Amino acid sequence: MRRRAAAALVVPLSALMLGASSCGVIPEDWRTPAFLKSDEEQLDERLPTATGPVGEEPEVSFPDIDPPKEQISGVVHKGEGESELVRSDDMLLVDIVDYDWTGKGKTEKVQSTYETGAPMLLQLGQMTEELTADLIDQPVGSRVVYVFPPSDPTTGQPSEEGTTSVSVLDIRGRYGKGDVVPGEQTTDGGGDLPTAADAGRAMPDITIPDADPPKELETVELVEGEGPEVESGQQLVVQYTGVTWNDGEVFDSTWTRDGTPATFAIGVGQVIQGWDEGLVGQKVGSRVMLVIPEDLAYGENAEASGSPAGTLVFVVDILGAVDTQPAPEPSDQPEASASPDGE
C-alpha cells in the first residue's frame, strides 16, 4: 500500500541520528560516557540541565564553561512508567528541543517540537548504539540530554571549528513489536464482506466470502478506538495485513516482519487511495477492515508493476497518529540570479 518513502526528520539531532545510522559509527573522539554505572548514575558536570515536567518544554540551563569537545549525554529525568520500558527495536514518540552552544554563556534555541506541536517518531533499530544507549531500558516519561561537538559537514568527523549542538529529548511514548489496539473486537465482519476474527498479537486470518467484491470502498470498524480522529497529513503508526479478494492470499503484512509497526503519512498520496479515504476520520485505537476496489488500490495495470491486482482487503490496527513537522521556512538569503549570458 506504500507509494513512496517517508520524509526525513528534522535537524539537528534527528539529522545526526539518520547520518549516524547510515555510516554505522560515531567517531571515537566523540565518545565520552556522561555517567559511570554504579549504585547511582553520576551525570557529567558539563551536561546542561533541563527542568520541568516531560510533556512541557523544559527550561534548559548551561554550565558556565566553554562547550565540550566530545559527545556527552545522560538521563536527566527518569520516568515513572516501569511497565513501559523502551526496547532496542522500539519506535519512540519524542519531543526534541535543540540549541546551539557557541561559547561560554553563548547559547541559542534553534528549534522545538513543543513550539511546532509536532513530536517526532524515531526508529531505534535504525540508530547507532551510541545514540540509543541512554534511551534503551528507560521508562516512558524520561528525559535525555545530548551534547554534540562541531563536525566537518563534508566528512562528519570532529572539527575544531563550528557550533556545538545540544538536544533535549523527552520520551512521550513507544510502539513495539507485536503491539495491537487495546479495545475489544465487537464484530468480525461477515455477510457479503470478509471476516477477520481477533487473533490477539498475531496476524489476523482474513476469510473471503463466496460473493462478488463490492464496487465501492467498504470500511468495517472491528474495534472502536477511543483516541482522537485521524487527520489528513498525520503520520500513522499501524499494524496491518493485506490479502487479495481473488484468492485470499496474504501479499503484505507487518506480522511477517516480526510484528514491527509501520509508519507513513496518511491523506497525502503516500499510500493507495483506499487507505487515504478509509483511514482519515477513524479514531486512534481502532481496528478497521478496508475492502478496496481495484480503482482505489493499484489499478488495472497492477500486475504489470508487480503490485497485487484486483480488490484488496486489509485489517489495520491504528496504534497512533502524529502531526508532521511543518515545512522549513524559506531562507532570507536571495537566490543568485543568472547573468545575461547564462553563466
Side-chain angles (χ1 to χ4, degrees):
M1 51 75 196
R2 185 178 292 273
R3 289 201 181 275
R4 58 179 180 269
L9 302 176
V10 296
V11 292
L13 173 60
S14 46
L16 178 58
M17 287 179 170
L18 286 175
S21 65
S22 61
C23 68
V25 295
I26 289 178
E28 289 286 349
D29 293 345
W30 283 21
R31 300 180 188 175
T32 299
F35 56 80
L36 302 177
K37 291 292 185 181
S38 60
D39 292 338
E40 295 183 355
E41 295 177 354
Q42 298 178 344
L43 290 172
D44 192 308
E45 293 181 352
R46 298 170 296 172
L47 202 66
T49 61
T51 58
V54 171
E56 298 179 9
E57 182 160 336
E59 181 176 342
V60 181
S61 299
F62 290 78
D64 191 23
I65 60 172
D66 289 325
K69 297 301 183 182
E70 63 277 340
Q71 178 186 330
I72 60 176
S73 60
V75 180
V76 298
H77 172 76
K78 196 177 187 70
E80 298 179 355
E82 293 294 343
S83 62
E84 283 287 310
L85 297 181
V86 173
R87 298 177 296 189
S88 61
D89 51 12
D90 278 350
M91 180 190 306
L92 295 188
L93 178 66
V94 301
D95 273 301
I96 297 178
V97 185
D98 291 315
Y99 286 82
D100 283 344
W101 188 1
T102 55
K104 186 176 181 179
K106 298 179 180 179
T107 62
E108 180 183 4
K109 184 169 68 175
V110 293
Q111 78 89 24
S112 168
T113 60
Y114 283 110
E115 292 181 354
T116 63
M120 294 171 51
L121 291 169
L122 296 181
Q123 293 273 12
L124 297 190
Q126 299 177 5
M127 294 159 50
T128 63
E129 181 179 352
E130 291 76 24
L131 292 171
T132 62
D134 289 310
L135 301 173
I136 296 171
D137 292 331
Q138 296 301 326
V140 170
S142 296
R143 173 174 288 157
V144 180
V145 175
Y146 294 89
V147 176
F148 300 107
S151 63
D152 187 313
T154 59
T155 66
Q157 297 300 309
S159 172
E160 291 298 322
E161 299 181 356
T163 301
T164 295
S165 297
V166 174
S167 295
V168 182
L169 183 150
D170 287 354
I171 305 175
R172 300 285 299 276
R174 56 169 291 275
Y175 303 100
K177 288 184 177 181
D179 282 359
V180 294
V181 294
E184 179 182 355
Q185 184 160 320
T186 57
T187 179
D188 295 343
D192 289 336
L193 296 178
T195 59
D198 190 344
R201 296 178 181 271
M203 182 188 300
D205 183 11
I206 303 172
T207 303
I208 305 298
D210 185 15
D212 292 332
K215 301 298 184 183
E216 304 292 333
L217 173 67
E218 297 283 350
T219 62
V220 181
E221 191 176 62
L222 306 180
V223 175
E224 182 180 357
E226 297 181 354
E229 290 187 358
V230 173
E231 298 179 5
S232 181
Q234 287 185 315
Q235 198 82 2
L236 288 194
V237 182
V238 300
Q239 299 279 14
Y240 71 89
T241 296
V243 305
T244 52
W245 184 286
N246 290 339
D247 57 16
E249 292 296 317
V250 175
F251 62 84
D252 192 14
S253 176
T254 53
W255 296 103
T256 63
R257 298 184 288 275
D258 298 323
T260 300
T263 180
F264 51 83
I266 194 69
V268 292
Q270 185 174 320
V271 292
I272 59 176
Q273 189 175 348
W275 275 62
D276 280 344
E277 293 185 11
L279 294 181
V280 171
Q282 299 289 343
K283 292 183 178 180
V284 172
S286 295
R287 174 174 298 147
V288 182
M289 179 190 294
L290 300 174
V291 183
I292 304 176
E294 181 180 71
D295 62 316
L296 298 182
Y298 292 98
E300 59 184 11
N301 297 320
E303 290 184 345
S305 64
S307 301
T311 297
L312 307 180
V313 182
F314 290 90
V315 172
V316 184
D317 277 25
I318 306 175
L319 305 177
V322 181
D323 290 340
T324 55
Q325 290 290 325
E329 295 183 0
S331 172
D332 293 333
Q333 297 295 328
E335 296 183 3
S337 57
S339 61
D341 57 6
E343 296 181 356

Short mmCIF file of all heavy atoms in Angstrom, two decimals, residues 197-251:
data_model
loop_
_atom_site.label_atom_id
_atom_site.label_comp_id
_atom_site.label_asym_id
_atom_site.label_seq_id
_atom_site.Cartn_x
_atom_site.Cartn_y
_atom_site.Cartn_z
N ALA A 197 -11.41 -12.72 12.51
CA ALA A 197 -11.54 -12.89 13.95
C ALA A 197 -10.34 -12.27 14.65
O ALA A 197 -9.26 -12.10 14.07
CB ALA A 197 -11.65 -14.37 14.30
N ASP A 198 -10.53 -11.91 15.91
CA ASP A 198 -9.45 -11.34 16.72
C ASP A 198 -8.37 -12.40 16.91
O ASP A 198 -8.61 -13.46 17.49
CB ASP A 198 -10.01 -10.89 18.07
CG ASP A 198 -9.00 -10.07 18.88
OD1 ASP A 198 -7.80 -10.10 18.55
OD2 ASP A 198 -9.42 -9.42 19.85
N ALA A 199 -7.16 -12.10 16.44
CA ALA A 199 -6.05 -13.05 16.55
C ALA A 199 -5.08 -12.71 17.66
O ALA A 199 -4.02 -13.31 17.75
CB ALA A 199 -5.31 -13.12 15.21
N GLY A 200 -5.44 -11.74 18.49
CA GLY A 200 -4.52 -11.33 19.55
C GLY A 200 -3.29 -10.66 18.95
O GLY A 200 -3.38 -9.88 18.01
N ARG A 201 -2.13 -11.01 19.48
CA ARG A 201 -0.87 -10.43 18.98
C ARG A 201 -0.30 -11.31 17.88
O ARG A 201 0.81 -11.85 18.00
CB ARG A 201 0.12 -10.27 20.13
CG ARG A 201 -0.35 -9.27 21.18
CD ARG A 201 0.64 -9.15 22.33
NE ARG A 201 0.18 -8.22 23.33
CZ ARG A 201 0.42 -6.92 23.33
NH1 ARG A 201 1.16 -6.38 22.36
NH2 ARG A 201 -0.02 -6.14 24.28
N ALA A 202 -1.08 -11.46 16.82
CA ALA A 202 -0.67 -12.30 15.69
C ALA A 202 -1.39 -11.83 14.44
O ALA A 202 -2.32 -11.03 14.50
CB ALA A 202 -0.99 -13.77 15.98
N MET A 203 -0.97 -12.36 13.30
CA MET A 203 -1.58 -11.99 12.03
C MET A 203 -3.03 -12.44 11.99
O MET A 203 -3.33 -13.61 12.26
CB MET A 203 -0.82 -12.62 10.86
CG MET A 203 -1.37 -12.23 9.50
SD MET A 203 -0.62 -13.17 8.14
CE MET A 203 1.09 -12.70 8.33
N PRO A 204 -3.96 -11.55 11.65
CA PRO A 204 -5.37 -11.96 11.55
C PRO A 204 -5.59 -12.89 10.36
O PRO A 204 -4.92 -12.78 9.33
CB PRO A 204 -6.11 -10.63 11.36
CG PRO A 204 -5.08 -9.72 10.76
CD PRO A 204 -3.77 -10.11 11.35
N ASP A 205 -6.53 -13.81 10.51
CA ASP A 205 -6.91 -14.73 9.44
C ASP A 205 -8.12 -14.12 8.73
O ASP A 205 -9.23 -14.13 9.25
CB ASP A 205 -7.25 -16.10 10.02
CG ASP A 205 -7.59 -17.11 8.93
OD1 ASP A 205 -7.36 -16.80 7.75
OD2 ASP A 205 -8.09 -18.20 9.27
N ILE A 206 -7.91 -13.60 7.53
CA ILE A 206 -8.95 -12.92 6.77
C ILE A 206 -9.57 -13.92 5.81
O ILE A 206 -8.87 -14.51 4.98
CB ILE A 206 -8.38 -11.71 6.02
CG1 ILE A 206 -7.71 -10.73 6.99
CG2 ILE A 206 -9.49 -10.99 5.23
CD1 ILE A 206 -6.96 -9.59 6.32
N THR A 207 -10.88 -14.13 5.92
CA THR A 207 -11.59 -15.09 5.09
C THR A 207 -12.49 -14.35 4.10
O THR A 207 -13.31 -13.52 4.49
CB THR A 207 -12.44 -16.03 5.96
OG1 THR A 207 -11.60 -16.69 6.90
CG2 THR A 207 -13.15 -17.07 5.10
N ILE A 208 -12.32 -14.67 2.83
CA ILE A 208 -13.08 -14.02 1.76
C ILE A 208 -14.39 -14.79 1.54
O ILE A 208 -14.39 -16.02 1.44
CB ILE A 208 -12.28 -13.99 0.45
CG1 ILE A 208 -10.92 -13.31 0.68
CG2 ILE A 208 -13.06 -13.26 -0.64
CD1 ILE A 208 -10.99 -11.88 1.13
N PRO A 209 -15.54 -14.10 1.45
CA PRO A 209 -16.82 -14.78 1.25
C PRO A 209 -16.98 -15.26 -0.20
O PRO A 209 -16.28 -14.79 -1.11
CB PRO A 209 -17.85 -13.70 1.58
CG PRO A 209 -17.17 -12.43 1.18
CD PRO A 209 -15.72 -12.63 1.53
N ASP A 210 -17.91 -16.16 -0.41
CA ASP A 210 -18.23 -16.64 -1.76
C ASP A 210 -19.21 -15.65 -2.37
O ASP A 210 -20.42 -15.90 -2.48
CB ASP A 210 -18.82 -18.04 -1.69
CG ASP A 210 -19.07 -18.63 -3.08
OD1 ASP A 210 -18.53 -18.06 -4.06
OD2 ASP A 210 -19.82 -19.62 -3.17
N ALA A 211 -18.69 -14.50 -2.75
CA ALA A 211 -19.53 -13.41 -3.29
C ALA A 211 -18.66 -12.51 -4.14
O ALA A 211 -17.43 -12.56 -4.08
CB ALA A 211 -20.16 -12.61 -2.14
N ASP A 212 -19.31 -11.69 -4.96
CA ASP A 212 -18.57 -10.72 -5.76
C ASP A 212 -18.08 -9.60 -4.86
O ASP A 212 -18.76 -9.22 -3.89
CB ASP A 212 -19.47 -10.14 -6.86
CG ASP A 212 -19.84 -11.18 -7.92
OD1 ASP A 212 -19.03 -12.11 -8.12
OD2 ASP A 212 -20.93 -11.05 -8.51
N PRO A 213 -16.93 -9.03 -5.18
CA PRO A 213 -16.43 -7.92 -4.36
C PRO A 213 -17.27 -6.68 -4.55
O PRO A 213 -17.87 -6.48 -5.62
CB PRO A 213 -15.01 -7.71 -4.89
CG PRO A 213 -15.05 -8.21 -6.29
CD PRO A 213 -16.01 -9.37 -6.28
N PRO A 214 -17.34 -5.82 -3.53
CA PRO A 214 -18.11 -4.58 -3.67
C PRO A 214 -17.45 -3.64 -4.67
O PRO A 214 -16.23 -3.69 -4.89
CB PRO A 214 -18.08 -3.99 -2.26
CG PRO A 214 -16.87 -4.58 -1.62
CD PRO A 214 -16.72 -5.96 -2.20
N LYS A 215 -18.24 -2.80 -5.28
CA LYS A 215 -17.74 -1.85 -6.28
C LYS A 215 -17.20 -0.58 -5.63
O LYS A 215 -16.46 0.18 -6.26
CB LYS A 215 -18.86 -1.48 -7.26
CG LYS A 215 -19.44 -2.67 -8.02
CD LYS A 215 -18.40 -3.36 -8.89
CE LYS A 215 -19.03 -4.47 -9.71
NZ LYS A 215 -18.01 -5.21 -10.52
N GLU A 216 -17.62 -0.33 -4.39
CA GLU A 216 -17.20 0.88 -3.68
C GLU A 216 -16.34 0.50 -2.47
O GLU A 216 -16.35 -0.64 -2.02
CB GLU A 216 -18.43 1.68 -3.21
CG GLU A 216 -19.40 2.05 -4.31
CD GLU A 216 -18.83 3.05 -5.30
OE1 GLU A 216 -17.93 3.82 -4.89
OE2 GLU A 216 -19.27 3.05 -6.46
N LEU A 217 -15.61 1.48 -1.95
CA LEU A 217 -14.82 1.28 -0.75
C LEU A 217 -15.72 0.94 0.43
O LEU A 217 -16.73 1.61 0.67
CB LEU A 217 -14.03 2.55 -0.43
CG LEU A 217 -13.26 2.58 0.90
CD1 LEU A 217 -12.11 1.58 0.88
CD2 LEU A 217 -12.73 4.00 1.17
N GLU A 218 -15.37 -0.12 1.16
CA GLU A 218 -16.12 -0.51 2.35
C GLU A 218 -15.18 -0.47 3.56
O GLU A 218 -14.05 -0.95 3.50
CB GLU A 218 -16.68 -1.93 2.21
CG GLU A 218 -17.69 -2.10 1.09
CD GLU A 218 -19.06 -1.55 1.44
OE1 GLU A 218 -19.27 -1.21 2.62
OE2 GLU A 218 -19.91 -1.46 0.52
N THR A 219 -15.67 0.11 4.66
CA THR A 219 -14.90 0.13 5.90
C THR A 219 -15.76 -0.50 7.00
O THR A 219 -16.94 -0.18 7.12
CB THR A 219 -14.50 1.55 6.32
OG1 THR A 219 -15.67 2.33 6.55
CG2 THR A 219 -13.65 2.21 5.23
N VAL A 220 -15.14 -1.39 7.78
CA VAL A 220 -15.83 -2.03 8.90
C VAL A 220 -14.98 -1.82 10.14
O VAL A 220 -13.80 -2.20 10.17
CB VAL A 220 -16.03 -3.54 8.65
CG1 VAL A 220 -16.77 -4.17 9.83
CG2 VAL A 220 -16.79 -3.78 7.36
N GLU A 221 -15.55 -1.21 11.15
CA GLU A 221 -14.84 -0.96 12.40
C GLU A 221 -14.95 -2.21 13.28
O GLU A 221 -16.01 -2.49 13.85
CB GLU A 221 -15.43 0.26 13.11
CG GLU A 221 -14.60 0.75 14.27
CD GLU A 221 -15.18 2.03 14.87
OE1 GLU A 221 -16.32 1.97 15.36
OE2 GLU A 221 -14.50 3.06 14.83
N LEU A 222 -13.87 -2.98 13.36
CA LEU A 222 -13.86 -4.21 14.16
C LEU A 222 -13.66 -3.90 15.64
O LEU A 222 -14.23 -4.58 16.50
CB LEU A 222 -12.76 -5.14 13.66
CG LEU A 222 -12.77 -5.48 12.15
CD1 LEU A 222 -11.61 -6.40 11.81
CD2 LEU A 222 -14.10 -6.11 11.75
N VAL A 223 -12.80 -2.93 15.92
CA VAL A 223 -12.58 -2.44 17.29
C VAL A 223 -12.77 -0.93 17.25
O VAL A 223 -12.16 -0.25 16.42
CB VAL A 223 -11.17 -2.78 17.81
CG1 VAL A 223 -10.94 -2.14 19.18
CG2 VAL A 223 -10.96 -4.28 17.88
N GLU A 224 -13.61 -0.42 18.13
CA GLU A 224 -13.83 1.03 18.18
C GLU A 224 -12.80 1.67 19.10
O GLU A 224 -12.75 1.40 20.29
CB GLU A 224 -15.24 1.34 18.70
CG GLU A 224 -15.55 2.83 18.72
CD GLU A 224 -16.95 3.14 19.22
OE1 GLU A 224 -17.71 2.17 19.51
OE2 GLU A 224 -17.29 4.34 19.31
N GLY A 225 -11.98 2.53 18.52
CA GLY A 225 -10.97 3.22 19.31
C GLY A 225 -11.54 4.37 20.11
O GLY A 225 -12.65 4.85 19.85
N GLU A 226 -10.77 4.80 21.10
CA GLU A 226 -11.20 5.90 21.96
C GLU A 226 -10.30 7.12 21.82
O GLU A 226 -10.44 8.08 22.57
CB GLU A 226 -11.23 5.44 23.42
CG GLU A 226 -12.23 4.32 23.69
CD GLU A 226 -12.26 3.90 25.14
OE1 GLU A 226 -11.42 4.40 25.93
OE2 GLU A 226 -13.12 3.07 25.51
N GLY A 227 -9.38 7.08 20.86
CA GLY A 227 -8.46 8.19 20.68
C GLY A 227 -9.01 9.25 19.75
O GLY A 227 -10.16 9.18 19.29
N PRO A 228 -8.19 10.24 19.42
CA PRO A 228 -8.62 11.31 18.51
C PRO A 228 -8.78 10.78 17.09
O PRO A 228 -8.24 9.74 16.72
CB PRO A 228 -7.49 12.33 18.60
CG PRO A 228 -6.30 11.53 19.02
CD PRO A 228 -6.82 10.44 19.91
N GLU A 229 -9.54 11.50 16.28
CA GLU A 229 -9.72 11.12 14.88
C GLU A 229 -8.45 11.38 14.08
O GLU A 229 -7.76 12.37 14.28
CB GLU A 229 -10.89 11.89 14.27
CG GLU A 229 -12.25 11.47 14.81
CD GLU A 229 -13.39 12.14 14.05
OE1 GLU A 229 -13.11 12.95 13.15
OE2 GLU A 229 -14.55 11.84 14.37
N VAL A 230 -8.16 10.47 13.17
CA VAL A 230 -7.02 10.61 12.27
C VAL A 230 -7.28 11.76 11.31
O VAL A 230 -8.36 11.85 10.71
CB VAL A 230 -6.78 9.31 11.49
CG1 VAL A 230 -5.71 9.50 10.43
CG2 VAL A 230 -6.41 8.18 12.44
N GLU A 231 -6.29 12.63 11.16
CA GLU A 231 -6.40 13.79 10.28
C GLU A 231 -5.47 13.63 9.08
O GLU A 231 -4.38 13.05 9.18
CB GLU A 231 -6.07 15.08 11.03
CG GLU A 231 -7.01 15.36 12.19
CD GLU A 231 -6.63 16.63 12.93
OE1 GLU A 231 -5.70 17.33 12.47
OE2 GLU A 231 -7.26 16.93 13.96
N SER A 232 -5.89 14.17 7.95
CA SER A 232 -5.06 14.15 6.76
C SER A 232 -3.74 14.85 7.03
O SER A 232 -3.69 15.92 7.64
CB SER A 232 -5.80 14.85 5.61
OG SER A 232 -5.03 14.84 4.43
N GLY A 233 -2.65 14.23 6.58
CA GLY A 233 -1.32 14.79 6.77
C GLY A 233 -0.60 14.25 7.98
O GLY A 233 0.61 14.48 8.13
N GLN A 234 -1.29 13.53 8.85
CA GLN A 234 -0.63 12.97 10.03
C GLN A 234 0.20 11.74 9.65
O GLN A 234 0.00 11.12 8.61
CB GLN A 234 -1.65 12.58 11.10
CG GLN A 234 -2.27 13.77 11.81
CD GLN A 234 -3.18 13.33 12.95
OE1 GLN A 234 -3.99 12.42 12.81
NE2 GLN A 234 -3.07 13.99 14.09
N GLN A 235 1.14 11.42 10.53
CA GLN A 235 1.93 10.21 10.40
C GLN A 235 1.24 9.11 11.21
O GLN A 235 1.06 9.26 12.42
CB GLN A 235 3.35 10.45 10.91
CG GLN A 235 4.37 9.45 10.44
CD GLN A 235 4.89 9.75 9.06
OE1 GLN A 235 4.51 10.73 8.45
NE2 GLN A 235 5.76 8.89 8.55
N LEU A 236 0.84 8.02 10.55
CA LEU A 236 0.18 6.92 11.24
C LEU A 236 1.19 5.87 11.65
O LEU A 236 2.18 5.62 10.97
CB LEU A 236 -0.87 6.25 10.36
CG LEU A 236 -2.17 7.00 10.08
CD1 LEU A 236 -3.19 6.05 9.48
CD2 LEU A 236 -2.72 7.67 11.31
N VAL A 237 0.91 5.22 12.80
CA VAL A 237 1.65 4.04 13.24
C VAL A 237 0.65 2.90 13.28
O VAL A 237 -0.37 2.99 13.98
CB VAL A 237 2.29 4.25 14.63
CG1 VAL A 237 3.09 3.01 15.03
CG2 VAL A 237 3.16 5.50 14.63
N VAL A 238 0.91 1.82 12.54
CA VAL A 238 -0.10 0.78 12.36
C VAL A 238 0.51 -0.62 12.33
O VAL A 238 1.69 -0.79 12.03
CB VAL A 238 -0.89 0.98 11.03
CG1 VAL A 238 -1.59 2.32 10.99
CG2 VAL A 238 0.03 0.81 9.83
N GLN A 239 -0.33 -1.60 12.66
CA GLN A 239 -0.13 -2.99 12.25
C GLN A 239 -1.13 -3.24 11.13
O GLN A 239 -2.27 -2.73 11.18
CB GLN A 239 -0.40 -3.96 13.39
CG GLN A 239 0.49 -3.82 14.61
CD GLN A 239 1.84 -4.50 14.45
OE1 GLN A 239 2.24 -4.88 13.34
NE2 GLN A 239 2.55 -4.64 15.55
N TYR A 240 -0.76 -4.04 10.13
CA TYR A 240 -1.73 -4.30 9.07
C TYR A 240 -1.43 -5.63 8.39
O TYR A 240 -0.29 -6.13 8.41
CB TYR A 240 -1.75 -3.18 8.03
CG TYR A 240 -0.52 -3.11 7.16
CD1 TYR A 240 -0.44 -3.83 5.95
CD2 TYR A 240 0.57 -2.32 7.52
CE1 TYR A 240 0.69 -3.77 5.16
CE2 TYR A 240 1.71 -2.24 6.72
CZ TYR A 240 1.76 -2.97 5.54
OH TYR A 240 2.88 -2.91 4.76
N THR A 241 -2.46 -6.18 7.78
CA THR A 241 -2.35 -7.36 6.92
C THR A 241 -3.23 -7.12 5.70
O THR A 241 -4.36 -6.65 5.83
CB THR A 241 -2.80 -8.64 7.64
OG1 THR A 241 -1.92 -8.88 8.74
CG2 THR A 241 -2.80 -9.84 6.70
N GLY A 242 -2.69 -7.45 4.52
CA GLY A 242 -3.44 -7.29 3.28
C GLY A 242 -3.54 -8.59 2.52
O GLY A 242 -2.56 -9.33 2.40
N VAL A 243 -4.75 -8.89 1.99
CA VAL A 243 -4.96 -10.07 1.16
C VAL A 243 -5.70 -9.65 -0.10
O VAL A 243 -6.35 -8.60 -0.14
CB VAL A 243 -5.78 -11.16 1.90
CG1 VAL A 243 -5.13 -11.54 3.22
CG2 VAL A 243 -7.23 -10.71 2.11
N THR A 244 -5.59 -10.46 -1.14
CA THR A 244 -6.34 -10.23 -2.37
C THR A 244 -7.69 -10.93 -2.29
O THR A 244 -7.80 -12.04 -1.77
CB THR A 244 -5.55 -10.75 -3.58
OG1 THR A 244 -5.15 -12.10 -3.35
CG2 THR A 244 -4.32 -9.90 -3.83
N TRP A 245 -8.72 -10.26 -2.80
CA TRP A 245 -10.07 -10.85 -2.80
C TRP A 245 -10.10 -12.12 -3.66
O TRP A 245 -10.77 -13.09 -3.32
CB TRP A 245 -11.08 -9.82 -3.31
CG TRP A 245 -12.50 -10.31 -3.27
CD1 TRP A 245 -13.10 -11.23 -4.09
CD2 TRP A 245 -13.51 -9.92 -2.33
NE1 TRP A 245 -14.40 -11.43 -3.73
CE2 TRP A 245 -14.69 -10.63 -2.65
CE3 TRP A 245 -13.53 -9.02 -1.25
CZ2 TRP A 245 -15.88 -10.47 -1.93
CZ3 TRP A 245 -14.72 -8.86 -0.54
CH2 TRP A 245 -15.88 -9.57 -0.87
N ASN A 246 -9.38 -12.12 -4.76
CA ASN A 246 -9.47 -13.23 -5.71
C ASN A 246 -9.10 -14.58 -5.10
O ASN A 246 -9.74 -15.60 -5.40
CB ASN A 246 -8.57 -12.96 -6.93
CG ASN A 246 -9.11 -11.84 -7.80
OD1 ASN A 246 -10.30 -11.53 -7.76
ND2 ASN A 246 -8.24 -11.21 -8.58
N ASP A 247 -8.05 -14.61 -4.25
CA ASP A 247 -7.61 -15.89 -3.71
C ASP A 247 -7.40 -15.90 -2.20
O ASP A 247 -7.08 -16.93 -1.63
CB ASP A 247 -6.33 -16.36 -4.40
CG ASP A 247 -5.20 -15.33 -4.29
OD1 ASP A 247 -5.28 -14.42 -3.44
OD2 ASP A 247 -4.23 -15.45 -5.06
N GLY A 248 -7.58 -14.74 -1.54
CA GLY A 248 -7.43 -14.68 -0.09
C GLY A 248 -6.00 -14.81 0.40
O GLY A 248 -5.76 -14.97 1.60
N GLU A 249 -5.01 -14.71 -0.51
CA GLU A 249 -3.61 -14.87 -0.12
C GLU A 249 -3.05 -13.56 0.44
O GLU A 249 -3.32 -12.48 -0.08
CB GLU A 249 -2.78 -15.31 -1.33
CG GLU A 249 -3.10 -16.72 -1.83
CD GLU A 249 -2.78 -17.77 -0.79
OE1 GLU A 249 -1.70 -17.67 -0.15
OE2 GLU A 249 -3.61 -18.69 -0.60
N VAL A 250 -2.24 -13.69 1.50
CA VAL A 250 -1.58 -12.53 2.08
C VAL A 250 -0.48 -12.06 1.14
O VAL A 250 0.37 -12.84 0.72
CB VAL A 250 -0.98 -12.88 3.46
CG1 VAL A 250 -0.17 -11.70 4.00
CG2 VAL A 250 -2.07 -13.28 4.44
N PHE A 251 -0.48 -10.78 0.81
CA PHE A 251 0.58 -10.22 -0.04
C PHE A 251 1.47 -9.25 0.74
O PHE A 251 2.57 -8.92 0.29
CB PHE A 251 0.00 -9.53 -1.27
CG PHE A 251 -0.90 -8.36 -0.98
CD1 PHE A 251 -0.38 -7.10 -0.75
CD2 PHE A 251 -2.27 -8.52 -0.91
CE1 PHE A 251 -1.19 -6.02 -0.48
CE2 PHE A 251 -3.11 -7.45 -0.64
CZ PHE A 251 -2.56 -6.20 -0.41
#
